[in-house]
């Protein structure tokens, strides 16, 4: 009897490459990279079974720094390449690394269809609200008034909301996190556990061109009142439990309420239901300032995946048939050239 070979559990070090990490000192991408490398051993992933696919942008250097298979593709087309990879080998764990410009500008069409189809993969969108690689032009998520080389007087564009875009595209898993927050690993693990397209927006600080744009909620002094980390089955509380979100039934929207003595039920605070799509829409659309920033797994309601449906369809189409390339090439409207071409 042969003994089973035990596969040793990996460590974060096993997921690091020998490539020099080349981002600006202080960039939030470093924290995300470390979080992903810490996550991989905890989810039981294997480097030889993992693929990272990226487009173009600062974040898209990511595959160079993960000791896995990887594709650094063209601008906005990472979802198309990732779809091909997953359909060619459904056993692979496919991660897509993209930025707010890569995914929502030239890549908006591809991102939408990947989420609509529900390919079984993880999409990590690094949102720094700026084009960093091309030296600070405003991006689809830049706020009105953003001053940049392309908008020296301030952008007049209304920004896109990545999570609202994902929900509108039919995504079945939508989450938010912050680059340097310890909860990022937990969000990544939840995304991996979801069967289908898992969309995670990660607020990522660009220290050169958009420094501290998220400080009003991401900075430590502002975290208590500025952040609301949702958890399925738990009340929507923030500010140390002194405030919460309740339903304004007259206006069909959320409202902030005070919680006295910890009695959140008496205050009418709503309980988070991650399978409630309507609640997820309300959470992602809350204007920051009047409301806290909703973070964590906002929506998680699995549905059949695109790749599993394709596998079943291909198996049914091939059932009882013998592969014959010559027959395939010869069928239909074909002809044979009988004469040699005239000499020129």
């Amino acid at each position: 009897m042969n003994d089973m070979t035990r596969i040793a559990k990996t460590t974060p070090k096993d997921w690091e490459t020998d490539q020099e990490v080349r981002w600006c000192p202080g960039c939030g991408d470093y924290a995300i990279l470390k979080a992903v490398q810490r996550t991989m051993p905890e989810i039981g992933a294997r480097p030889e079974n993992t693929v990272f696919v990226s487009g173009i942008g600062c974040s898209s250097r990511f595959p160079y720094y993960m000791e896995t298979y990887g594709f650094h593709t063209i601008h906005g087309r990472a979802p198309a390449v990732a779809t091909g990879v997953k359909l060619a080998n459904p056993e692979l764990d496919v991660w897509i690394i993209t930025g707010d410009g890569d995914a929502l500008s030239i890549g908006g069409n591809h991102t939408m269809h990947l989420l609509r189809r529900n390919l079984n993969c993880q999409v990590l969108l690094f949102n720094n609200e700026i084009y960093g690689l091309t030296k600070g032009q405003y991006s689809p998520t830049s706020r009105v008034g953003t001053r940049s080389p392309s908008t020296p007087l301030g952008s007049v564009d209304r920004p896109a909301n990545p999570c609202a875009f994902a929900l509108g595209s039919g995504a079945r898993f939508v989450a938010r996190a912050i680059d340097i927050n310890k909860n990022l690993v937990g969000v990544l693990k939840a995304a991996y556990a979801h069967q289908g397209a898992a969309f995670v927006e990660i607020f990522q600080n660009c220290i050169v061109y958009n420094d501290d744009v998220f400080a009003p909620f991401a900075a430590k002094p502002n975290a208590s009142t500025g952040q609301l980390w949702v958890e399925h089955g738990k009340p929507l509380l923030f500010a140390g439990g002194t405030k919460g979100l309740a339903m304004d039934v007259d206006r069909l929207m959320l409202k902030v309420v005070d919680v006295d003595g910890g009695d959140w039920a008496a205050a009418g605070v709503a309980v988070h239901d991650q399978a409630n799509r309507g609640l997820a829409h309300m959470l992602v659309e809350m204007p920051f300032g009047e409301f806290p920033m909703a973070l964590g797994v906002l929506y998680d309601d699995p549905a059949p995946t695109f790749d599993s449906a394709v596998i079943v369809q291909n198996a049914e189409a091939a059932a009882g048939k013998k592969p014959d390339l010559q027959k395939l090439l010869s069928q239909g409207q074909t002809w044979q050239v009988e004469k040699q071409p005239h000499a020129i």
Side-chain angles (χ1 to χ4, degrees):
M1 179 178 177
N2 294 328
D3 293 331
M4 294 292 291
T5 301
R6 293 186 179 275
I7 300 176
K9 185 178 179 180
T10 62
T11 68
K13 194 72 176 176
D14 294 320
W15 297 84
E16 299 177 7
T17 71
D18 60 358
Q19 299 296 299
E20 178 188 0
V21 182
R22 301 183 64 183
W23 287 312
C24 299
C27 175
D29 288 355
Y30 287 97
I32 301 173
L33 175 63
K34 288 299 182 183
V36 172
Q37 290 170 339
R38 290 198 305 271
T39 300
M40 292 298 160
E42 296 189 23
I43 60 178
R46 301 296 306 174
E48 66 274 13
N49 201 54
T50 305
V51 184
F52 280 84
V53 184
S54 66
I56 296 296
C58 297
S59 63
S60 293
R61 297 189 59 81
F62 209 90
Y64 296 111
Y65 309 138
M66 293 297 299
E67 190 59 51
T68 65
Y69 293 106
F71 292 88
H72 188 180
T73 69
I74 56 179
H75 205 187
R77 271 65 177 185
V81 175
T83 300
V85 170
K86 188 67 177 181
L87 293 182
N89 188 348
E91 299 303 314
L92 294 174
D93 291 335
V94 177
W95 297 74
I96 296 174
I97 305 296
T98 186
D100 47 303
D102 186 59
L104 299 178
S105 184
I106 192 171
N109 179 48
H110 294 279
T111 304
M112 176 186 73
H113 290 302
L114 178 123
L115 298 174
R116 171 182 68 81
R117 290 174 175 141
N118 200 30
L119 186 79
N120 192 16
C121 65
Q122 293 71 234
V123 182
L124 307 187
L125 186 151
F126 298 14
N127 184 10
N128 56 20
E129 296 189 3
I130 207 77
Y131 278 109
L133 185 67
T134 47
K135 307 301 180 285
Q137 295 90 341
Y138 78 107
S139 82
T141 59
S142 295
R143 304 172 195 184
V144 173
T146 297
R147 294 181 181 274
S148 74
S150 56
T151 56
L153 300 180
S155 171
V156 295
D157 258 2
R158 291 181 58 83
N161 181 326
C163 287
F165 172 87
L167 285 168
S169 298
R172 310 293 303 194
F173 180 101
V174 176
R176 273 191 189 139
I178 302 171
D179 51 10
I180 60 172
N181 193 284
K182 64 181 181 180
N183 293 333
L184 174 56
V185 170
V187 170
L188 295 175
K189 291 166 70 174
Y192 181 78
H194 176 85
Q195 292 298 302
F199 180 89
V200 182
E201 177 188 10
I202 306 174
F203 294 114
Q204 175 256 320
N205 190 47
C206 177
I207 196 168
V208 175
Y209 297 109
N210 215 15
D211 192 24
D212 286 338
V213 69
F214 303 120
F217 64 85
K220 188 173 292 186
N222 303 325
S224 176
T225 55
Q227 299 176 20
L228 191 164
W229 287 90
V230 303
E231 187 176 348
H232 183 62
K234 299 292 182 66
L236 298 172
L237 296 170
F238 64 104
T242 62
K243 292 182 180 295
L245 298 181
M247 182 63 66
D248 185 336
V249 294
D250 293 328
R251 302 172 64 196
L252 292 180
M253 61 182 293
L254 295 171
K255 62 181 178 180
V256 175
V257 294
D258 293 321
V259 178
D260 295 325
D263 193 351
W264 58 267
V269 174
V271 173
H272 183 52
D273 178 4
Q274 65 187 23
N276 187 325
R277 192 177 193 86
L279 177 59
H281 272 287
M282 293 182 190
L283 289 170
V284 303
E285 295 283 5
M286 292 190 307
F288 179 74
E290 178 184 353
F291 292 89
M293 182 61 66
L295 301 159
V297 179
L298 306 173
Y299 183 61
D300 185 357
D301 188 20
T305 65
F306 176 70
D307 41 303
S308 62
V310 170
I311 292 168
V312 171
Q313 187 179 67
N314 287 346
E316 292 175 348
K321 298 178 182 177
K322 180 181 178 181
D324 189 335
L325 180 60
Q326 186 57 46
K327 180 180 178 181
L328 177 65
L329 294 175
S330 301
Q331 71 183 8
Q333 295 182 345
T334 61
W335 68 93
Q336 183 173 345
V337 178
E338 301 286 353
K339 298 180 180 180
Q340 296 296 322
H342 293 290
I344 297 178

